[in-house]
Amino acid sequence: MDTPAIELRGVARYFGERIALRDLSFTVPAGATLAVLGRNGAGKSTLLRVLATLLRAHAGEVSVLGEPLPRRAFAVRGRLGLLPHEPLLYRDLSGRENLRYHARLYGVGAERVEELLRDVRMERRADEPVRLLSRGMVQRVAVCRAVLHDPEVLLLDEARANLDPGASELVEPLVGRLAGRTRVITSHDPEAALAEADLALGLRDGRPTFTLPADQVTPDLVRELYA
Amino acid sequence: MDTPAIELRGVARYFGERIALRDLSFTVPAGATLAVLGRNGAGKSTLLRVLATLLRAHAGEVSVLGEPLPRRAFAVRGRLGLLPHEPLLYRDLSGRENLRYHARLYGVGAERVEELLRDVRMERRADEPVRLLSRGMVQRVAVCRAVLHDPEVLLLDEARANLDPGASELVEPLVGRLAGRTRVITSHDPEAALAEADLALGLRDGRPTFTLPADQVTPDLVRELYA
Amino acid sequence: MPTYGKGLRGLSILTLVTISAALILVFFYAPLDANQGFIQKIFYIHVPLAIVSLCGFVFGGLLAVMHLRTGDRRYDMRSYVAIHMALIFGVAALISGSIWAKASWGHWWVWDDPTLVSYLIVVLMFATYTPFRFSIEDPERQARYASVFAILGGAFVPLNFVAVRAAQGLVHPRVLTVSGGNLPGPMALTFLISILGIALLYVTLWKYEMAAKNARIQLRALRRRVLGDEDISPLQRTAAPSL
Amino acid sequence: MRTALAVLRKDLLLELRTFETVPAMALFSIAIFVIFHFGVNRPTVDGQLAAGVLTVTLLFAGILGVNRLFVAEREQGGFDAFLLAPVDRSALLLAKASALFLFLVVLEVIAVPAFGILLLGPPLSPTLPAMILVLALADLGIAVIGTLVSALAVQTRSRDVIGPLIGLPLLIPALIATARAIGPLLRPQGPAPLPGKWLLILALYDLVFALVAYAVFDFLLED
Amino acid sequence: MRTALAVLRKDLLLELRTFETVPAMALFSIAIFVIFHFGVNRPTVDGQLAAGVLTVTLLFAGILGVNRLFVAEREQGGFDAFLLAPVDRSALLLAKASALFLFLVVLEVIAVPAFGILLLGPPLSPTLPAMILVLALADLGIAVIGTLVSALAVQTRSRDVIGPLIGLPLLIPALIATARAIGPLLRPQGPAPLPGKWLLILALYDLVFALVAYAVFDFLLED
Ligand code: HEM
Ligand SMILES: Nc1ncnc2c1ncn2[C@@H]1O[C@H](COP(=O)(O)OP(=O)(O)OP(=O)(O)O)[C@@H](O)[C@H]1O
Ligand SMILES: Nc1ncnc2c1ncn2[C@@H]1O[C@H](COP(=O)(O)OP(=O)(O)OP(=O)(O)O)[C@@H](O)[C@H]1O
Ligand SMILES: [Mg+2]
Ligand SMILES: [Mg+2]
């Protein structure tokens, strides 16, 4: 079926008087990857939080997996995974305990937790409090958290930050393109991001500067986006 | 004068039974840059914390700027800057207030704060609570914090994480090679790290796998380091 | 956006009339109290003030409910103003009460009386309403949280009232135990008129404040449209609702 | 329900790991009893005074718990994590209130006997059944109000102050009722029957605020 | 010294940022005393009981203050930042202790008079000088112990959790001494002279722990 996985029309979001997003419109077909590029403060994380039903849009229409937000948010939540800047893990609980907790929230079996821990090679460190883990180990567990319920839509905010090259390969099957999920990714490495994306959205002070197929984004476009 | 800026001999550091660093020996001449590479959990951040006098070495000798640690730690602190994974900023204070506070701790004038804020283009956002800033903006302020007192030795733990390309250029004169500081940097982008380093240290489970001039580090070495 | 100026003049006049009528009744019609004498007349100010302020807090709570139900930020504004006004009336009740207390009990304040103290608690609690708002940046969250606060307070007032009534008051009189029951006729009439007057005063002031706030907001909106929202000064924090 | 259990379980686990809340509460109340015992060189108290001391102590200890209730959620992104999950939001209220309730019960299991030993004149045992009933009602009130207030306070810049600030006044009626209900149980000449009036007020209070809490809680979580 | 000032300044900034402190404390203390009032159901208290109430209030406020002063540091890496600076570590002890001390003083400036009118039977004014002396000593004790103990919780990553809990037991002697010292001042039949014994104990206690704190503080901060 061909309802787009994500569809925005004239979306805007304010924080008080600050405008974090404005007249944003795009569609992401199911299974495709959208790379969101932009300066610090451009509104990337805000956009992801809007798509993740954590923030309401103040204007325009947002629909994810065919469900209009925020009205049908509850119908979307279970089918969508967000990996934000913060790991969203309890520092004093172990990785395993954290994941087990989320597994219960999402109604996922404990074996899935073990499977994921093995995938990211954290099974041997999974019983230490997260606060004792190295930054990249925390990120690995955070990735597990985001894909725990095998979401159809995945929202990745600089997912590979703090991961060593080996680890990025490890998480590839989970959050990578081939996992066959609809993805919205942000990154400060434009080349890498565009390489794994089908569509690209350039944000500048919350306004879209371009919305193109990834392969049509010229280096100039990128350069002036950050200039 | 040619006393090395940093000198380690047979250094080891444990956390309980876990060995985070062991028989680590190297010297970094003044003004040179050492790139520390290794997997997640290899011990990079721990090494930086040892050099920053935040952690004691359990074996071996550490000397920074000719001063043996931890004995003469107080003599070193003012001349050394650390940029760890955490921004070390109070979320409820504004960027300016945070930097002013550190300026007082380091006995630096307030004008230096303004100058730095201008350098990283945060002057217009400097009065908002850090909590409300975007991740990359926080990182910019954190960079200011680390170089506030114009340290001779700079310890950078993935300094450019979360910074957009434009911002990394902005901070170049502050934390970059040309700032003429002795630097120890970590990064998960080996090519980039080696490119801006004179020396390279490969860590694996806390053990050094190689300690070489940066230009002699072959791709194979790197590959097997992460394999 | 509605203008709250509508009907203000008529209302103001009505209020003036009622209050002056009340005053006339108080001074020329209502009989002198047998044992308290003239000072007892403050009863006609004090009690209405106290009761209206309490109702005002509840009113604020109800408006807050509306805000959360409809998601319409203007209700938050209304609730904010309602509580603001109720606070002013509350302080007035405290003052009038203490004057009366000084006259008839000899102290400005009697601490071991549940009515007084609990009322003070209520007033003080709502006195933290504004600082509470102030300590939340995001206007939307501020509005929602303030509404929750207001609802809590609104529910708290009657409960507190019951609990206090149950804990026998020591000195504070209980006329309204069965709402105005044992007041002699003329006193009752005067009392009712003055309550009406104070209530009207409350409503009038509320409407005035709303009108003012509205004007300010529309002005700001215009300014933003003219200047354009490009160079907005960084979020300035305020306790007052901003739409 | 399943959700509430999951969250509750997580909270208890967290408490076991950090050991932050309950021990602090318990030590605090015991400290108070000790202070009264040695400080107020009155070896024993009874009647209304005893009831007052006990209630006030429990209330303060409760407030200490209230302040910590949502800190982890806020500081470590637990809120976002919960809001992302496809679950009913009021489950969080239920879970947190139950957690607080459990903390209070544990606290009392420790504090009340300590009170009996350290401070109380008349024997505790005969009054226990009635006492448990009253305290249960009181805990319910504190748990509900506390959860609500804590959720309110934790998002403000002044968590630690605002929590107690709003919580204490709100809890005064419940406190009055509790103290007055317990008072007769601790009469030197042996327990009198429970004063139904105060029980009723307490129950009413719990009911009203439970309903209010249920009605408004979601709005504290929304974006 | 300069350092201590800088830290103190930062803490006050965080404080003031967070709440209009004074009205908050006014409401806070009034609420507490009203709670005591309704709790013990007495028009007034005096003598040792009054002293006990005052001391307990102080302790409660102290605990809230300690949390306020150290949570931010722990959660947001403020300690690492401080340890990196080329400053004398005991400055932190000094700063935090003074902040806590100030906090308590401000509270008392509001709370004690409120206590005087709300709850206290005998007049407050004649006892004030002596009272101030005792309270100052008590605050000092609480401030020092509070800071010392919270420093145990510094190590963000591998911090030991039991540490902070030993604070309360440590404080109890000081609190008992305080209650005993204040008691005679509040006798219904007018203030008795300060009981030198308890005052001495309090002073001694402060001195000892101040020295201990100064001696061990650096080691607590070491990794
Ligand atoms: C500062 C001192 C006072 C305060 C804060 C105060 C507060 C209040 C409040 C809140 C009410 C309305 C709620 C209620 O009815 O319980 C009220 C009503 C009333 N007050 Fe006062 N009062 C004060 C002093 C006095 C004094 C000195 C007198 C007379 C000796 C007095 C006589 C009354 C009467 C007759 C009512 C009528 C309502 C009723 O029956 O409760 N008040 N007061
Ligand atoms: N809760 C908030 N309150 C006020 N302003 C906010 C809030 N969250 C974000 N902002 C502002 O909205 C803008 C966009 O923030 P956002 O985090 O989306 O940027 P970003 O594109 O993710 O930047 P980065 O690349 O640094 O992560 C920034 O100016 C930020 O300061
Ligand atoms: N305070 C601590 N207590 C116990 N173990 C610790 C502590 N700090 C670090 N470790 C462990 O020491 C090892 C090295 O950690 P470190 O943070 O130095 O890794 P890293 O090289 O920085 O990794 P990353 O690239 O993910 O940042 C890890 O196994 C980590 O779990
Ligand atoms: Mg971002
Ligand atoms: Mg690291």
Side-chain angles (χ1 to χ4, degrees), chain A residues 16-70:
Chain A
E17 295 192 316
R18 164 154 303 107
I19 300 172
L21 293 175
R22 74 178 98 184
D23 35 342
L24 206 54
S25 307
F26 62 81
T27 58
V28 182
T33 296
L34 169 70
V36 184
L37 303 177
R39 291 214 208 120
N40 296 134
K44 304 183 291 299
S45 302
T46 306
L47 173 57
L48 292 195
R49 290 176 67 81
V50 169
L51 294 175
T53 76
L54 288 178
L55 291 178
R56 246 177 343 92
H58 287 137
E61 291 157 23
V62 184
S63 79
V64 174
L65 295 166
E67 309 279 7
L69 299 184

Coordinates of all heavy atoms in Angstrom, one line a residue, chain A residues 16-70:
Chain A
G16 N 7.7 29.4 23.0 CA 7.4 30.8 23.4 C 7.4 31.6 22.1 O 6.7 31.3 21.2
E17 N 8.3 32.6 22.0 CA 8.3 33.4 20.8 C 9.3 32.9 19.8 O 9.3 33.3 18.6 CB 8.7 34.9 21.2 CG 7.6 35.5 22.1 CD 7.9 37.0 22.2 OE1 9.0 37.4 22.4 OE2 6.9 37.8 22.1
R18 N 10.2 32.0 20.3 CA 11.2 31.5 19.3 C 10.5 30.5 18.4 O 9.6 29.7 18.7 CB 12.3 30.7 20.0 CG 13.1 29.8 19.1 CD 14.5 29.6 19.5 NE 15.2 30.8 19.7 CZ 15.5 31.3 20.9 NH1 15.1 30.7 22.0 NH2 16.1 32.5 21.0
I19 N 10.8 30.7 17.1 CA 10.3 29.8 16.1 C 11.3 28.7 15.8 O 12.3 29.0 15.2 CB 9.9 30.6 14.8 CG1 8.9 31.7 15.2 CG2 9.4 29.7 13.7 CD1 8.6 32.6 14.0
A20 N 11.0 27.5 16.2 CA 11.9 26.4 16.0 C 11.7 25.7 14.6 O 12.6 25.2 14.0 CB 11.8 25.4 17.1
L21 N 10.5 25.7 14.2 CA 10.1 25.1 12.8 C 9.1 26.0 12.2 O 8.2 26.5 12.9 CB 9.6 23.7 13.0 CG 10.6 22.6 13.5 CD1 9.8 21.3 13.7 CD2 11.7 22.4 12.6
R22 N 9.1 26.1 10.9 CA 8.0 26.8 10.2 C 7.8 26.3 8.8 O 8.7 25.8 8.2 CB 8.2 28.3 10.3 CG 9.3 28.8 9.3 CD 9.3 30.3 9.4 NE 10.4 30.7 10.3 CZ 10.6 32.0 10.7 NH1 9.8 32.9 10.3 NH2 11.6 32.3 11.4
D23 N 6.5 26.5 8.3 CA 6.1 26.0 7.0 C 6.9 24.9 6.4 O 7.6 25.0 5.4 CB 5.9 27.1 6.0 CG 6.9 28.2 6.1 OD1 7.5 28.3 7.1 OD2 7.1 29.0 5.2
L24 N 6.9 23.8 7.2 CA 7.6 22.6 6.8 C 6.7 21.6 6.1 O 5.6 21.3 6.7 CB 8.2 22.0 8.1 CG 9.5 21.1 7.9 CD1 10.6 21.9 7.2 CD2 9.9 20.8 9.3
S25 N 7.0 21.2 4.9 CA 6.1 20.2 4.2 C 7.0 19.2 3.5 O 7.8 19.6 2.7 CB 5.2 21.0 3.2 OG 4.5 22.0 3.9
F26 N 6.7 18.0 3.7 CA 7.4 16.9 2.9 C 6.7 15.6 3.2 O 5.9 15.5 4.2 CB 8.9 16.9 3.3 CG 9.2 16.5 4.7 CD1 9.1 15.2 5.1 CD2 9.5 17.5 5.7 CE1 9.4 14.9 6.5 CE2 9.7 17.2 7.0 CZ 9.7 15.8 7.4
T27 N 7.0 14.7 2.3 CA 6.5 13.3 2.6 C 7.6 12.3 2.4 O 8.5 12.5 1.6 CB 5.4 12.9 1.5 OG1 6.0 13.1 0.2 CG2 4.2 13.8 1.6
V28 N 7.6 11.3 3.2 CA 8.6 10.2 3.2 C 7.9 8.9 2.9 O 7.0 8.5 3.7 CB 9.4 10.1 4.5 CG1 10.4 9.0 4.4 CG2 10.0 11.4 4.9
P29 N 8.1 8.3 1.7 CA 7.4 7.1 1.4 C 7.9 6.0 2.3 O 9.0 6.1 2.9 CB 7.8 6.8 0.0 CG 9.0 7.6 -0.3 CD 8.9 8.8 0.6
A30 N 7.0 5.0 2.5 CA 7.4 3.9 3.4 C 8.7 3.3 3.0 O 9.0 3.1 1.8 CB 6.3 2.8 3.4
G31 N 9.6 3.0 3.9 CA 10.8 2.3 3.6 C 12.0 3.2 3.2 O 13.1 2.8 3.1
A32 N 11.6 4.5 3.0 CA 12.7 5.4 2.5 C 13.4 6.0 3.7 O 12.9 6.0 4.8 CB 12.0 6.5 1.7
T33 N 14.5 6.7 3.4 CA 15.3 7.4 4.5 C 15.4 8.8 4.2 O 15.8 9.2 3.1 CB 16.7 6.8 4.6 OG1 16.6 5.4 5.0 CG2 17.6 7.6 5.6
L34 N 15.0 9.7 5.1 CA 15.1 11.1 5.0 C 16.3 11.6 5.8 O 16.3 11.3 7.0 CB 13.9 11.8 5.4 CG 13.9 13.3 5.5 CD1 14.1 14.0 4.1 CD2 12.7 13.9 6.2
A35 N 17.3 12.3 5.2 CA 18.4 12.9 6.0 C 18.0 14.3 6.3 O 17.8 15.1 5.3 CB 19.7 12.8 5.2
V36 N 18.0 14.7 7.5 CA 17.7 16.1 7.9 C 19.1 16.8 8.2 O 19.8 16.3 9.1 CB 16.8 16.2 9.1 CG1 16.5 17.7 9.4 CG2 15.5 15.4 8.8
L37 N 19.4 17.8 7.4 CA 20.7 18.5 7.6 C 20.4 19.9 8.1 O 19.4 20.5 7.8 CB 21.5 18.5 6.3 CG 21.8 17.1 5.7 CD1 22.5 17.2 4.4 CD2 22.5 16.3 6.7
G38 N 21.4 20.5 8.8 CA 21.2 21.9 9.2 C 22.2 22.2 10.4 O 22.7 21.3 11.0
R39 N 22.4 23.5 10.6 CA 23.3 24.0 11.6 C 22.8 23.6 13.0 O 21.7 23.1 13.2 CB 23.3 25.5 11.6 CG 24.0 26.1 10.4 CD 24.7 27.4 10.8 NE 24.8 28.3 9.7 CZ 24.2 29.5 9.7 NH1 23.5 29.9 10.8 NH2 24.4 30.3 8.7
N40 N 23.7 23.8 14.0 CA 23.2 23.7 15.3 C 22.1 24.6 15.6 O 22.2 25.8 15.3 CB 24.4 24.0 16.3 CG 25.5 23.0 16.2 OD1 26.7 23.4 16.1 ND2 25.2 21.7 16.1
G41 N 21.0 24.1 16.1 CA 19.9 25.0 16.4 C 18.9 25.2 15.2 O 18.0 26.0 15.3
A42 N 19.2 24.4 14.1 CA 18.3 24.6 12.9 C 16.9 24.0 13.2 O 15.9 24.5 12.6 CB 19.0 23.8 11.8
G43 N 16.8 23.1 14.1 CA 15.5 22.5 14.4 C 15.4 21.0 14.1 O 14.3 20.5 14.2
K44 N 16.5 20.4 13.9 CA 16.5 18.9 13.6 C 15.9 18.1 14.7 O 14.9 17.4 14.5 CB 17.9 18.5 13.3 CG 18.6 19.2 12.2 CD 20.0 18.7 11.9 CE 21.0 19.0 13.0 NZ 21.2 20.4 13.3
S45 N 16.4 18.3 15.9 CA 15.9 17.5 17.0 C 14.5 17.8 17.3 O 13.6 16.9 17.6 CB 16.7 17.8 18.3 OG 18.1 17.5 18.0
T46 N 14.1 19.1 17.2 CA 12.7 19.5 17.4 C 11.8 18.7 16.4 O 10.8 18.2 16.8 CB 12.6 21.0 17.2 OG1 13.5 21.7 18.1 CG2 11.1 21.4 17.5
L47 N 12.2 18.7 15.1 CA 11.4 18.0 14.1 C 11.2 16.5 14.6 O 10.1 16.0 14.6 CB 12.1 18.1 12.8 CG 11.5 17.3 11.7 CD1 10.1 17.6 11.4 CD2 12.3 17.4 10.4
L48 N 12.3 15.9 15.0 CA 12.2 14.5 15.3 C 11.3 14.4 16.5 O 10.5 13.4 16.6 CB 13.6 13.9 15.7 CG 14.6 13.8 14.6 CD1 15.8 12.9 15.0 CD2 14.0 13.3 13.3
R49 N 11.3 15.3 17.5 CA 10.5 15.2 18.6 C 9.0 15.4 18.2 O 8.1 14.7 18.8 CB 10.9 16.2 19.7 CG 12.2 15.8 20.4 CD 12.6 16.9 21.4 NE 11.8 16.9 22.5 CZ 11.8 16.1 23.6 NH1 12.7 15.1 23.6 NH2 11.0 16.2 24.6
V50 N 8.8 16.2 17.2 CA 7.4 16.4 16.8 C 6.9 15.1 16.1 O 5.8 14.5 16.5 CB 7.3 17.5 15.7 CG1 6.0 17.5 15.0 CG2 7.5 18.9 16.4
L51 N 7.8 14.5 15.3 CA 7.4 13.2 14.6 C 7.2 12.1 15.7 O 6.4 11.2 15.5 CB 8.5 12.8 13.6 CG 8.6 13.7 12.4 CD1 9.8 13.3 11.6 CD2 7.3 13.8 11.6
A52 N 7.9 12.2 16.8 CA 7.9 11.1 17.8 C 6.7 11.3 18.8 O 6.6 10.6 19.8 CB 9.2 11.1 18.6
T53 N 5.9 12.3 18.5 CA 4.7 12.6 19.3 C 5.1 13.2 20.7 O 4.2 13.4 21.6 CB 3.8 11.4 19.6 OG1 4.4 10.6 20.6 CG2 3.5 10.6 18.3
L54 N 6.3 13.6 20.8 CA 6.7 14.2 22.1 C 6.4 15.7 22.1 O 6.2 16.3 23.2 CB 8.2 14.0 22.4 CG 8.7 12.6 22.7 CD1 10.2 12.6 22.9 CD2 7.9 12.1 23.9
L55 N 6.4 16.3 21.0 CA 6.0 17.7 20.9 C 4.8 17.9 19.9 O 4.7 17.1 18.9 CB 7.1 18.6 20.3 CG 8.4 18.8 21.2 CD1 9.4 19.6 20.5 CD2 8.0 19.5 22.5
R56 N 3.9 18.8 20.2 CA 2.8 19.1 19.3 C 3.3 20.1 18.3 O 4.1 21.0 18.6 CB 1.6 19.7 20.1 CG 0.4 18.8 20.2 CD -0.7 19.4 21.0 NE -0.3 20.4 22.0 CZ -0.4 21.7 21.7 NH1 -0.7 22.1 20.5 NH2 0.0 22.6 22.6
A57 N 2.8 20.0 17.1 CA 3.0 21.0 16.1 C 2.0 22.1 16.4 O 0.8 21.9 16.7 CB 2.8 20.5 14.7
H58 N 2.4 23.4 16.3 CA 1.5 24.5 16.6 C 0.7 24.9 15.3 O -0.3 25.6 15.4 CB 2.3 25.7 17.1 CG 2.8 25.5 18.5 ND1 4.0 25.8 18.9 CD2 2.1 24.9 19.6 CE1 4.1 25.5 20.2 NE2 3.0 24.9 20.6
A59 N 1.2 24.5 14.2 CA 0.4 24.8 13.0 C 0.7 23.7 12.0 O 1.7 23.0 12.0 CB 0.9 26.2 12.4
G60 N -0.2 23.5 11.0 CA 0.0 22.5 10.0 C -0.4 21.1 10.4 O -0.9 20.9 11.5
E61 N -0.2 20.2 9.5 CA -0.7 18.8 9.7 C 0.5 17.9 9.7 O 1.3 17.9 8.8 CB -1.7 18.4 8.7 CG -3.0 19.1 8.8 CD -3.8 19.1 7.5 OE1 -3.5 18.2 6.7 OE2 -4.6 20.0 7.3
V62 N 0.5 17.0 10.7 CA 1.5 15.9 10.7 C 0.8 14.6 10.7 O -0.1 14.4 11.5 CB 2.4 16.0 12.0 CG1 3.5 15.0 12.0 CG2 2.9 17.4 12.2
S63 N 1.2 13.7 9.8 CA 0.7 12.4 9.9 C 1.8 11.4 9.7 O 2.7 11.5 8.9 CB -0.4 12.1 8.9 OG 0.2 11.9 7.6
V64 N 1.8 10.4 10.6 CA 2.8 9.3 10.6 C 2.1 8.0 10.5 O 1.1 7.7 11.2 CB 3.6 9.4 11.9 CG1 4.6 8.2 12.0 CG2 4.4 10.7 12.0
L65 N 2.6 7.2 9.5 CA 2.0 5.9 9.2 C 0.5 6.1 9.0 O -0.3 5.3 9.4 CB 2.2 4.9 10.4 CG 3.7 4.6 10.6 CD1 3.9 3.9 12.0 CD2 4.2 3.7 9.5
G66 N 0.1 7.2 8.3 CA -1.2 7.4 8.0 C -2.1 8.0 9.1 O -3.3 8.3 8.9
E67 N -1.5 8.0 10.3 CA -2.3 8.5 11.5 C -2.0 10.0 11.7 O -0.9 10.4 11.9 CB -1.9 7.7 12.7 CG -2.0 6.2 12.6 CD -3.4 5.7 12.7 OE1 -4.4 6.5 12.8 OE2 -3.6 4.5 12.6
P68 N -3.0 10.8 11.8 CA -2.8 12.2 12.1 C -2.4 12.4 13.5 O -2.9 11.8 14.4 CB -4.2 12.9 11.8 CG -5.2 11.8 12.1 CD -4.5 10.5 11.6
L69 N -1.3 13.3 13.7 CA -0.9 13.6 15.1 C -1.4 15.0 15.4 O -1.6 15.8 14.6 CB 0.7 13.6 15.1 CG 1.3 12.3 14.8 CD1 2.8 12.4 15.0 CD2 0.8 11.2 15.7
P70 N -1.5 15.3 16.7 CA -1.4 14.4 17.8 C -2.6 13.6 18.1 O -2.5 12.7 19.0 CB -1.1 15.4 19.0 CG -1.9 16.6 18.6 CD -1.9 16.7 17.1

